[in-house]
Amino acid sequence: MPDTYYFTSESVTEGHPDKVADAISDSILDAIMAKDKACRVACETLVTTGMAVIAGEITTDCYVDMPQVVRETIRDIGYHSSQMGFDWQTCAVLTSIDHQSPDIAQGVNTGEGLFKDQGAGDQGLMFGFASDETDELMPMPITFAHKLTRRLSKVRKNGALDFLRPDGKAQVTIEYDNGTPKRVDTIVIAAQHKPDVTYDQLREAIIEEVIKKVIPRSMIDGDTRYFINSTGKFVIGGPMGDCGLTGRKIIVDTYGGQGSHGGGCFSGKDPSKVDRSASYMARHVAKNIVAAGFAKKCEVQVAYAIGVAEPVSVLVDMMGTGKLPTAAVRDIILDTFDLRPAAIIEYLDLLRPVFRNTAAYGHFGRNEPGFTWEETNMVDALRNKAGL
């Protein structure tokens, strides 16, 4: 890359239609997992004007009132009025749920299929990434973007900016100098609002109560550009403005475009799906590598075959910032972390109803209860094995 370059990442609020869908899928997963840890859940959601549709493959011994879970999730997000074209009390809820294929189940269930261990729920490749440019060990553009959208939601819900509605987006462009974040170049915010607020009122409020409350003053200068609701109006939004689907914001969910992405989404999937559990574990490994001081940036790729427990490959890329040989770091990782699906689930304690909280504002970079994959508990062990 050139000495000076610009990188942009975006985030969306919990009221964005795709995030409404993610939240519904993960809420159903949590409701089932709270009663049945052995469940198999792959729940997809579609939301549009006045309607929510859930479909997928779910195998469980418990009963969950899924339409009620859907409505409560929509209510909690903030769609309370039919004036928005979508509200929790009047929207239609359609369901089309089947069981998990027995051909898949025998490869995942312990002691069934061709291998004794619990195998991966599908083939695929998963990535984890970490960077030392923020305290969260995440890239700065996505970190700032998430903080802006969380702030949009907070000031809407606490009444500070009571003209806001649930849908919204934020986008942040960072100027880098020799790989180090230097300044915020551009901030883009689109915030759904009630029809009676003027553009000037909204713009000033967003700058004062959202941007200035989130972005460090040292990162903003006289050349920083703000684009606030740059069409001039954003009244129609949410599922009325756009159809929402589970899994359509995978870059928002991960690293904002830095690092790589295997392609599989997370929401609505129980931890037997390595799309979710192995991506969480790969992030955990990469974060501990960076926290241990092995590198300034680290990307870990893990790949699986369906029904097979051991990964078919593990790749480590420290992107030219490593302080140890890559082969040595890979050996240390394989000696420290068990990357088989059942071991990941046990190590990260994933058989708990914690997934609704991941559905918006990113799955990574959040030091909150339940986000066990964000812990840096293996730093000392890694450093000891490296002789540091």
Side-chain angles (χ1 to χ4, degrees):
M1 284 190 177
D3 291 343
T4 299
Y5 62 93
Y6 300 82
F7 197 94
T8 302
S9 296
E10 73 160 346
S11 177
V12 299
T13 67
E14 64 200 86
H16 185 283
D18 293 331
K19 281 291 146 199
V20 174
D22 284 343
I24 291 171
S25 292
D26 274 335
S27 294
I28 289 174
L29 170 61
D30 276 1
I32 295 172
M33 185 159 286
K35 298 181 178 181
D36 179 11
K37 292 184 177 182
C39 65
R40 295 287 184 262
V41 178
C43 180
E44 312 293 344
T45 302
L46 176 151
V47 291
T48 187
T49 305
M51 180 183 296
V53 181
I54 56 173
E57 296 76 45
I58 297 176
T59 300
T60 181
D61 293 330
C62 74
Y63 172 76
V64 167
D65 187 344
M66 294 186 194
Q68 185 62 25
V69 172
V70 172
R71 295 187 189 281
E72 290 174 355
T73 304
I74 295 168
R75 178 198 63 198
D76 293 345
I77 290 170
Y79 286 104
H80 300 145
S81 170
S82 58
Q83 292 179 346
M84 301 183 205
F86 191 74
D87 80 278
W88 70 281
Q89 290 176 301
T90 65
C91 71
V93 179
L94 307 180
T95 64
S96 179
I97 304 294
D98 293 313
H99 289 87
Q100 183 184 54
S101 162
D103 295 348
I104 296 175
Q106 73 173 9
V108 178
N109 296 338
T110 303
E112 300 181 21
L114 297 177
F115 302 93
K116 292 183 179 180
D117 289 344
Q118 176 178 335
D122 201 353
Q123 68 179 51
L125 50 145
M126 298 81 206
F127 290 93
F129 181 75
S131 169
D132 71 351
E133 62 192 56
T134 64
D135 292 340
E136 297 86 356
L137 300 186
M138 287 284 287
M140 187 175 286
I142 189 66
T143 299
F144 283 176
H146 283 323
K147 289 182 177 180
L148 288 169
T149 52
R150 295 192 85 164
R151 180 69 183 174
L152 278 173
S153 178
K154 181 177 181 178
V155 296
R156 168 177 62 88
K157 290 183 172 181
N158 69 17
L161 300 184
D162 60 1
F163 54 80
L164 291 180
R165 285 178 171 175
D167 198 356
K169 291 183 176 183
Q171 184 172 285
V172 178
T173 301
I174 299 291
E175 179 183 336
Y176 285 81
D177 184 14
N178 290 314
T180 300
K182 181 180 179 182
R183 55 181 288 274
V184 174
D185 181 76
T186 307
I187 296 173
V188 181
I189 289 183
Q192 187 188 15
H193 58 86
K194 295 178 182 178
D196 55 355
V197 65
T198 69
Y199 176 77
D200 289 341
Q201 288 175 323
L202 180 139
R203 176 182 168 83
E204 181 181 2
I206 294 294
I207 291 174
E208 294 297 324
E209 295 299 325
V210 178
I211 295 174
K212 289 186 177 180
K213 300 292 187 181
V214 167
I215 306 299
R217 187 171 299 178
S218 61
M219 293 296 292
I220 297 176
D221 58 30
D223 294 324
T224 300
R225 298 175 295 171
Y226 303 122
F227 294 100
I228 313 297
N229 283 18
S230 49
T231 67
K233 184 180 180 180
F234 186 10
V235 173
I236 300 172
M240 185 179 183
D242 288 293
C243 180
L245 294 171
T246 300
R248 205 161 55 179
K249 286 291 178 285
I250 57 176
I251 301 304
V252 172
D253 285 343
T254 53
Y255 308 103
Q258 293 199 37
S260 304
H261 198 293
C265 80
F266 306 149
S267 288
K269 297 177 180 178
D270 74 81
S272 73
K273 280 74 171 171
V274 284
D275 277 341
R276 180 165 225 157
S277 54
S279 293
Y280 288 0
M281 190 65 179
R283 159 65 178 171
H284 179 69
V285 173
K287 185 175 183 180
N288 275 269
I289 291 297
V290 172
F294 289 6
K296 295 176 69 64
K297 293 184 179 182
C298 181
E299 180 176 274
V300 175
Q301 185 204 53
V302 188
Y304 294 88
I306 189 169
V308 181
E310 293 286 350
V312 298
S313 70
V314 177
L315 175 69
V316 181
D317 182 2
M318 294 181 287
M319 302 180 175
T321 69
K323 298 180 181 179
L324 297 171
T326 301
V329 173
R330 182 181 182 275
D331 289 342
I332 291 171
I333 288 172
L334 294 178
D335 188 47
T336 305
F337 300 100
D338 191 337
L339 301 177
R340 295 174 299 169
I344 291 172
I345 291 168
E346 180 179 3
Y347 174 74
L348 295 179
D349 195 14
L350 295 179
L351 295 182
R352 296 174 297 133
V354 297
F355 300 108
R356 169 67 178 85
N357 289 335
T358 70
Y361 314 117
H363 293 245
F364 308 124
R366 297 169 61 178
N367 297 318
E368 303 171 24
F371 288 70
T372 53
W373 50 94
E374 289 298 310
E375 295 176 2
T376 52
N377 55 305
M378 299 303 293
V379 165
D380 289 343
L382 290 170
R383 291 181 62 82
N384 288 337
K385 290 183 180 181
L388 300 178

